[in-house]
């Protein structure tokens, strides 16, 4: 599956952005999906994940209550709604996919837990 992330940009502190991750090549309903981010000089970190059905989600503590992951399997797209953005949210955001192994598998918090990655979209938050 090929993943294409989009929607990044420059936003002021407290603002909102919605990222999209469009899949092609395979139907997205076969995969659990996640968003990771990587700031300059830092390791790539888990942000949020969602099961193939959308029924299970997982969030990093740093974004809980501000970010919302969702998916539309009919459109082969996963979304990340980011509200109340902070300067520390600035990073390149990557979407990732892993084959659904069982039930409503929500995926891993680890980079190594994903098989497919998008190219990343830059999010910049001005203070």
């Amino acid at each position: 599956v090929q993943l294409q992330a989009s929607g990044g940009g420059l936003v002021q502190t407290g603002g909102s952005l919605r990222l999209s991750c469009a899949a092609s090549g395979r139907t997205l309903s076969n995969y659990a999906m996640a968003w990771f981010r990587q700031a300059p000089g830092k390791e790539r970190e888990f942000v949020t994940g969602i099961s193939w059905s959308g029924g299970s989600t997982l969030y990093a503590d740093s974004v809980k209550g501000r970010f919302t992951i969702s998916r539309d399997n009919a459109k082969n797209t996963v979304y990340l709604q980011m509200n109340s953005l902070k300067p520390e949210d600035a990073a390149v955001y990557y979407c990732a996919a892993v084959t659904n192994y069982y039930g409503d598998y929500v995926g891993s918090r680890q980079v190594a837990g994903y098989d497919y990655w998008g190219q990343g979209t830059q999010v910049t938050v001005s203070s």
Side-chain angles (χ1 to χ4, degrees):
V1 63
Q2 291 79 46
L3 304 175
Q4 179 78 34
S6 62
L10 173 63
V11 64
Q12 290 186 333
T13 296
S16 298
L17 278 176
R18 188 175 84 153
L19 307 184
S20 298
C21 176
S24 61
R26 298 287 298 273
T27 177
L28 204 58
S29 59
N30 292 328
Y31 302 92
M33 300 293 297
W35 288 94
F36 284 74
R37 65 187 182 188
Q38 188 167 19
K42 295 188 176 181
E43 293 187 351
R44 192 169 297 189
E45 65 173 0
F46 175 82
V47 176
T48 179
I50 189 167
S51 62
W52 74 271
S53 71
S56 297
T57 56
L58 203 60
Y59 291 93
D61 288 343
S62 59
V63 306
K64 206 171 290 184
R66 300 187 298 122
F67 290 12
T68 303
I69 190 170
S70 61
R71 65 190 297 159
D72 186 337
N73 287 339
K75 295 183 178 180
N76 253 17
T77 303
V78 174
Y79 305 98
L80 178 62
Q81 178 66 45
M82 304 187 294
N83 297 329
S84 302
L85 282 160
K86 305 175 181 180
E88 52 263 43
D89 294 318
V92 177
Y93 282 71
Y94 298 89
C95 57
V98 62
T99 302
N100 182 55
Y101 291 117
Y102 59 87
D104 212 24
Y105 178 60
V106 75
S108 166
R109 294 177 182 266
Q110 306 301 318
V111 170
Y114 293 84
D115 302 316
Y116 306 96
W117 292 84
Q119 87 290 358
T121 185
Q122 177 74 51
V123 172
T124 304
V125 184
S126 63
S127 56

